[in-house]
Amino acid sequence: MGVARADTHEKDVFERIFHPERIAIVGVSANGAGFGGWMMGSLLEMGYAGTIYPVNPRGGMVRGMKIYPRIEDIPEDIDFVIIAVPAEQVPETLDAALRKGAAGAEILSAGFRETGTDGGMALEKAVVERAKQGIRVIGPNCFGVYCPGSGLTLMPGPDLSRESGPVAFLSQSGGMSIDFAHMGRWMGVRFSKVISFGNGADLRETELLRYLGDDPETGVVAMYVEGVQEGRLFFDVLREVGEKKPVVIYKGGLSDAGNRAVLSHTASLGGSGVIWKSLMRQCNVVPVVDLMEMAETTLALSRLPGQVYRGIVVTGGGGALGVGACDAAESFGLELPRLEQSLSDRILSVLPKPGSSALNPIDVGNPYVDPGTLKKALLMAAEDDRVDIQVLIQLLYHFEHFAKDIEGVSVKDVVPIQVLADAMKDVVEKTGKPVVVVLPNNVRDISKMGVEEMIRAVRNAFLERHIPVFDDLTGALRAIGHVSRYYETKQRRR
């Protein structure tokens, strides 16, 4: 049975929610303090280009703008309302927003169903009743919406990236949503939309997932789920969206203790681990177990070509790293094919001696090998038809010893950052095979802040050339394995 598509009216509603031209923020005080004021400040710092109408019964001015005592006093209709007032005032605020033509609302306020009280349940029921009258509600008890394309941001998220990308994230946890958005900025994950829906009184996992499945701005959907409503419908939507684009799910609350925690967090039931694993397998979902794995997986899904990866070449300095690569690769469905002797000899001829080997993994012998040599080695390794992707490990923290001997020079000055990144970009372009870079940092004490700065600069240089970077080899191989399994299953089911 197929799943109903979003009609034109629904698409228009979502467009007005994610790209609003006029926003009312209810609960903004004249001194800018409180959730409403913080959200207003965040929107301004993000560069939201539409019109903001702050609302507070006391009136006044804030940031040079008039504060309207009531929503009804705003001189024109609005698209979206952000609500940060006590829970008891939320239903009447939604009534006023409806009269002003708002298509949607996000309710930052807590004090609803998650309290477990009769009063909280009644207030959430009142929210649901307003939603049925025509205003779609995100929340309550949420952090809101982050949409870089329009300048919407989560609370508190004034410093998130303004660069849009293909990853969408649906989260029942506000904290998880803002954490992932922050991680995305430095890791290179770029978002189309991040939606923290909290209690999910109206809009929640199933309907939002269906929307994102058809959203042309979204190529990968990630989800943090504590519990779902309408399990059968969720299954149908998940299966259909999973056929069109990758869906990554971090399921919270599968243990007994976790189940208790999610009940008090968003009043959800965690559900059976066996059922969830079966559901995700049937729907070709990519399952992850924590936030870092979710971030690494979405990085790979959004930065690597969508295809099956089997054979990899791992190049770096250190024999033990190579052994670890071989062992880890197999556990993620990958393999390191032994290179033909003639090819291995050619690669070895350009590497420093002694100490290098080139059968795969390719051990370059020391961490100071110049980018030109690395480029030659990777170009030759890609000639093997069994190789689908290459991994370059760079232990750049060793360069610190060079900088110590030169007065006024930092480690960032002695690492050939741009030349190295350009070299790997050339490898990708000339071979048509992707390269993934791993940048471990094993010297993280406070005296090594210069090393940390250098590694971050190197990461940025690679990301600017669309080459994904990981902190460790296991994370990189696991992410590549996730990409490969998704597309392999998708091909098999056609």
Side-chain angles (χ1 to χ4, degrees):
M1 183 176 67
V3 178
R5 304 262 71 79
D7 60 24
T8 303
H9 171 69
E10 286 179 310
K11 289 180 179 176
D12 180 59
V13 167
F14 281 120
E15 176 64 20
R16 292 179 65 201
I17 289 175
F18 294 120
H19 299 274
E21 295 180 4
R22 294 172 293 277
I23 297 176
I25 305 178
V26 184
V28 177
S29 59
N31 63 13
F35 286 174
W38 296 336
M39 178 57 86
M40 181 176 171
S42 295
L43 288 174
L44 292 172
E45 290 189 45
M46 280 288 288
Y48 170 70
T51 304
I52 296 175
Y53 293 106
V55 177
N56 190 301
R58 295 187 180 91
M61 299 289 290
V62 61
R63 294 176 180 263
M65 288 187 278
K66 176 182 178 181
I67 300 176
Y68 291 84
R70 306 179 308 156
I71 291 179
E72 291 88 337
D73 298 326
I74 295 173
E76 59 182 339
D77 281 352
I78 58 175
D79 297 303
F80 193 55
V81 58
I82 298 172
I83 301 174
V85 297
E88 295 76 13
Q89 300 174 21
V90 168
E92 63 188 76
T93 304
L94 289 171
D95 287 337
L98 268 165
R99 289 192 290 272
K100 270 294 177 185
E106 67 179 34
I107 303 173
L108 307 180
S109 319
F112 296 84
R113 179 165 56 100
E114 81 281 0
T115 63
T117 65
D118 291 343
M121 301 289 280
L123 283 170
E124 186 145 325
K125 183 179 179 182
V127 169
V128 174
E129 290 171 351
R130 270 63 177 188
K132 290 178 180 176
Q133 295 173 31
I135 184 170
R136 303 309 308 268
V137 174
I138 297 170
N141 187 27
C142 74
F143 281 21
V145 173
Y146 167 46
C147 181
S150 65
L152 289 184
T153 191
L154 298 163
M155 181 194 70
D159 53 353
L160 301 179
S161 173
R162 281 303 307 267
E163 183 182 350
S164 295
V167 178
F169 182 44
L170 301 175
S171 178
Q172 278 182 272
S173 163
M176 190 78 71
S177 63
I178 190 70
D179 287 346
F180 189 18
H182 278 303
M183 290 173 70
R185 177 164 183 161
W186 63 266
M187 289 184 68
V189 179
R190 294 294 179 262
F191 296 96
S192 58
K193 295 154 183 95
V194 174
I195 306 161
S196 158
F197 60 87
N199 291 7
D202 177 32
L203 287 171
R204 51 182 304 134
E205 66 282 339
T206 302
E207 192 170 359
L208 291 168
L209 176 61
R210 185 183 65 183
Y211 163 75
L212 293 172
D214 292 330
D215 179 22
E217 298 176 348
T218 298
V220 179
V221 182
M223 304 179 73
Y224 171 73
V225 179
E226 295 188 349
V228 301
Q229 291 181 343
E230 302 180 275
R232 180 67 212 189
L233 179 60
F234 177 71
F235 173 82
D236 290 339
V237 172
L238 186 60
R239 185 170 56 183
E240 288 204 9
V241 175
E243 291 174 356
K244 291 185 282 190
K245 55 186 74 172
V247 179
V248 181
I249 291 184
Y250 173 13
K251 175 66 181 74
L254 291 178
S255 66
D256 290 343
N259 206 346
R260 290 196 302 273
V262 301
L263 188 60
S264 63
H265 183 210
T266 55
S268 299
L269 291 173
S272 161
V274 173
I275 292 174
W276 268 98
K277 288 178 182 175
S278 174
L279 177 147
M280 289 193 276
R281 185 172 58 252
Q282 291 181 59
C283 298
N284 195 19
V285 166
V286 181
V288 296
V289 298
D290 57 33
L291 181 57
M292 178 54 76
E293 185 180 359
M294 182 167 64
E296 290 173 337
T297 302
T298 54
L299 174 67
L301 284 165
S302 61
R303 296 269 181 174
L304 295 176
Q307 64 179 66
V308 177
Y309 296 98
R310 192 69 65 210
I312 64 171
V313 165
V314 176
T315 301
L321 278 173
V323 174
C326 296
D327 293 342
E330 288 188 9
S331 67
F332 298 121
L334 306 169
E335 58 187 34
L336 278 73
R338 180 188 173 105
L339 300 178
E340 294 294 334
Q341 192 61 52
S342 59
L343 179 57
S344 175
D345 290 344
R346 286 169 53 210
I347 295 172
L348 195 57
S349 70
V350 302
L351 297 182
K353 301 174 186 62
S356 296
S357 63
L359 291 174
N360 193 18
I362 298 174
D363 183 353
V364 298
N366 70 73
Y368 310 116
V369 177
D370 67 274
T373 299
L374 293 172
K375 176 180 173 179
K376 290 177 183 175
L378 269 67
L379 283 172
M380 286 189 275
E383 294 174 14
D384 191 315
D385 291 338
R386 298 168 297 169
V387 174
D388 302 310
I389 187 170
Q390 300 202 66
V391 177
L392 175 67
I393 307 171
Q394 288 284 269
L395 306 178
L396 298 175
Y397 51 86
H398 288 295
F399 276 80
E400 187 189 30
H401 300 294
F402 289 162
K404 278 184 176 178
D405 297 333
I406 309 173
E407 186 176 353
V409 171
S410 73
V411 62
K412 193 169 69 172
D413 299 324
V414 300
V415 173
I417 297 175
Q418 302 302 327
V419 178
L420 178 62
D422 282 338
M424 291 305 108
K425 181 185 176 186
D426 285 347
V427 171
V428 174
E429 291 178 349
K430 290 180 178 178
T431 66
K433 297 180 180 181
V435 172
V436 164
V437 174
V438 176
L439 298 176
N441 182 7
N442 296 324
V443 292
R444 300 196 183 198
D445 61 274
I446 198 166
S447 67
K448 308 291 186 180
M449 293 304 290
V451 173
E452 185 64 35
E453 181 185 10
M454 174 271 294
I455 289 180
R456 294 182 187 195
V458 176
R459 180 190 298 273
N460 285 343
F462 280 114
L463 290 175
E464 288 170 358
R465 292 158 178 81
H466 306 289
I467 296 174
V469 177
F470 296 83
D471 287 343
D472 63 72
L473 182 60
T474 300
L477 295 177
R478 181 176 58 192
I480 295 169
H482 279 321
V483 175
S484 185
R485 275 194 295 275
Y486 170 78
Y487 285 101
E488 184 179 30
T489 302
K490 185 176 181 179
Q491 288 179 9
R492 191 171 63 245
R493 291 180 177 179
R494 281 178 178 167

